[in-house]
Amino acid sequence: MATTTPFFLITLLFSFSFLTSVTFSRTTPTTTTSPLDVTSALVRVTQILDILNGHSDFQPFAQETIQQSSLDSSSFSFSFPLHSRELLNKTQHKDYKSLLQARLDRDLTRVNSLVTKLQRALKKEEVKSADNQVLTQGGKLSAPLVSGESQGSGEYFTRIGVGSPAEQFYMVIDTGSDVNWIQCEPCVDCYDQSDPIFDPSSSSSYESVSCESRQCDQLEVSACSRDRCLYEVTYGDGSFTVGTLMTETLSFGKSGYVEKVAMGCGHDNEGLFTAAAGLLGLGGGSLSLPEQLKATSFSYCLVDRDSNKSGTLELNSPVPSDSVTTTLSKSSKTNTFYYIGLTGFAVGGHPVQIAESTFELDKSGNGGIIVDCGTAVSRLEIEAYYALRDAFRSQTGNLKSTRPYALFDTCYDLSGLSTVKVPTVSFIFYGGKYFDLPAENYLIPVDSDGTFCFAFAPTNSSPQIIGNVQQQGMRVTFDLSNERVGFASYKC
């Protein structure tokens, strides 16, 4: 014992020192100003328009070799690429303003959808007896015929294999959803997608889920037909997917495959995620992909939406050692959303005068701020937004202001400039920890001429949201086992 005790103590002290450096680092901002590369941003604007308008033969993913080995759910880890939605759904746009307006329209719908979902959770008992109850006689599911073409939940997608033998499909990822699903034959009504629609009869690993199963019981809305569990997922704009709950084998490229993943086999799907085949739910609910795979963590790195490069989605990956971390929690009313311990912002190294309680989640399930990969522009409580915006404006008197655009009320004419220095915007997390955002994560182009706008927006609804514009180019890690979230710069 005498020979091992000193080594144990040294190891323990080293471990504590390392964890302390990771968890409590950066209690001051690293910079007060950040460079904005105007030229590079406008080059990306041109490139994305060329791709969308068919002036480039860029293809996001080629067919990938599937690794024929099963992943052990207790120890597996894997990574697969992510792209922004425009590279899959190549809708032509006459100019960048047209593209941006389409994004902002989707974004508003997305935010409304999350707000609606939260309000439903807060009034769950009322919803069960309300008019949007979808169970009908005979154990069938029906849904309102409302167009969902404006639904904006699918901002990033990946490519995975479904079934045995595996067929590869483009799938949207979504931290604001729990149920995984894919469009299935026979289709009652399916929207257009890039790949052939999945045919469960061609897969030897397809199994329908019984009505008495744990997975069926975990659905928010379900019914039973011939001992098959039927499901429906509806979204805030009236879009929906309806079908049979199944278990299938999912293949993750060169990482291997996982068997018996519960997901919806959607036979009637209205307006969602045009071009993609379905959705991978990364939320905190029991049917989400991380929860089903018993993942201890997952992380992603979201590339600039104007970039033709890819980021990655990783499961069971460690928190990068240089991450700034804070608390990760869920509401008592819904497990889906990931609430984080944010206390405020700094601009140019100076804390903005915002009450810490502004971002707290109360016991009733209201308030708080979530991290969401499907929302683009971060939404802040009105007074918090004004305080942040005014602090930024006060330190940009050297820049030429120009008229507002859409939901952005703070814009600048940077035409003719190659690089400018702007005040650094930083998150402040519990414990006074700072995380500095790169300038391109809060000052974004809105046209091809050099107009850039401050990319935050006000909201009078819960929840507040950290969107993907503020997350782009960084590794965001959801450490589920330790209830922490980490932010690390330039980890794509």
Side-chain angles (χ1 to χ4, degrees), residues 64-73 75-81 158-161 250-258 293 312-316:
E64 187 174 16
T65 302
I66 298 294
Q67 179 67 35
Q68 299 300 316
S69 60
S70 177
L71 291 166
D72 181 351
S73 62
S75 61
F76 74 89
S77 63
F78 56 83
S79 171
F80 43 105
T158 189
R159 193 159 177 79
I160 66 167
L250 300 187
S251 302
F252 302 95
K254 297 177 182 178
S255 299
Y257 63 86
V258 179
L293 300 187
T312 56
L313 172 66
E314 301 178 358
L315 271 78
N316 285 345

Side-chain angles (χ1 to χ4, degrees), residues 4 86 89 116 135 164 174 265 272 278 320 385 394 403 407 459:
T4 59
E86 273 86 14
N89 183 22
T116 300
L135 302 186
S164 302
D174 188 1
C265 185
L272 289 171
Y385 168 74
S394 70
R403 62 182 179 275
L407 80 168
T459 181

